[in-house]
Amino acid sequence: VQLQASGGGLVQPGGSLRLSCVANGSIFSISNMGWYRQAPGKQRELVADITGGDITKYADSVKGRFTISRDNAKNTAYLRMNSLKPEDAAVYYCFATLKTYDIPNYYKAYWGQGTQVTVSS
């Protein structure tokens, strides 16, 4: 199983970006998908999370600005980030909690490669 993340980059304050995360491989089912982020010198924090039933959870700092969604048919999650602030700059890591066909009774967390988000004028 691999998670392929994309969509990071450089954006001015107030701008928008959309991150994508695709889970590929021998996937039996996916529970939660989402993103954590880590800025230099800070701990990794949960940004947003979405369940298979589209129940969402957000960090207080991004509520009202970020929107997480998913396409279950494509095993893909999206994070739309609006009104970006310099403090949103970080490496964003997508994750998925899923079962594989090899081990269909056990959920395991998988991580994508980090994608850099830079917010600067």
Side-chain angles (χ1 to χ4, degrees):
V1 174
Q2 288 187 331
L3 268 60
Q4 184 69 40
S6 61
L10 171 65
V11 64
Q12 293 185 342
S16 298
L17 285 174
R18 190 180 81 156
L19 305 183
S20 299
C21 179
V22 182
N24 294 305
S26 182
I27 298 169
F28 181 70
S29 68
I30 301 178
S31 175
N32 294 46
M33 299 185 76
W35 277 265
Y36 279 76
R37 69 185 180 187
Q38 188 166 22
K42 295 187 177 181
Q43 290 188 331
R44 188 176 293 194
E45 63 172 345
L46 177 67
V47 178
D49 175 279
I50 185 167
T51 70
D54 288 339
I55 297 172
T56 58
K57 180 169 61 179
Y58 297 94
D60 288 342
S61 59
V62 307
K63 285 179 181 177
R65 299 187 297 120
F66 290 12
T67 303
I68 190 170
S69 61
R70 65 191 275 179
D71 184 334
N72 291 325
K74 296 181 179 179
N75 291 338
T76 300
Y78 305 97
L79 184 67
R80 178 69 179 180
M81 305 184 292
N82 294 330
S83 303
L84 282 160
K85 304 176 181 180
E87 51 264 42
D88 294 316
V91 178
Y92 284 68
Y93 297 91
C94 70
F95 73 90
T97 305
L98 57 86
K99 295 179 180 178
T100 64
Y101 281 103
D102 292 342
I103 310 176
N105 297 320
Y106 176 67
Y107 278 110
K108 179 180 176 182
Y110 290 82
W111 294 87
Q113 83 281 12
T115 185
Q116 179 71 50
V117 171
T118 303
V119 184
S120 175
S121 55

